[in-house]
Amino acid sequence: MPGNRNVLYLIIGALIVAVGVLGYNLYQTKKEPEGLQINVGPDGLKIKTK
């Protein structure tokens, strides 16, 4: 039975790492980029620095 407990801890640890990595990737994709933003629309050209 001690072997089963070690496997359970390994699976739980892997799941925690996977959730952390997925959360970080989601944060990076949602974060607005820094720098210069140029928008072209019906109101004309807009340039915004961030």
Side-chain angles (χ1 to χ4, degrees), residues 26-48:
L26 182 64
Y27 169 74
Q28 289 295 327
T29 57
K30 295 286 184 180
K31 186 176 75 168
E32 288 195 20
E34 297 178 7
L36 189 66
Q37 181 181 7
I38 300 172
N39 293 328
V40 180
D43 297 333
L45 181 68
K46 294 181 183 179
I47 300 174
K48 188 189 303 184

Side-chain angles (χ1 to χ4, degrees), residues 6-43:
N6 288 342
V7 171
L8 181 64
Y9 289 149
L10 180 67
I11 292 172
I12 291 172
L15 286 174
I16 290 172
V17 169
V19 168
V21 168
L22 289 174
Y24 179 75
N25 284 337
L26 182 64
Y27 169 74
Q28 289 295 327
T29 57
K30 295 286 184 180
K31 186 176 75 168
E32 288 195 20
E34 297 178 7
L36 189 66
Q37 181 181 7
I38 300 172
N39 293 328
V40 180
D43 297 333

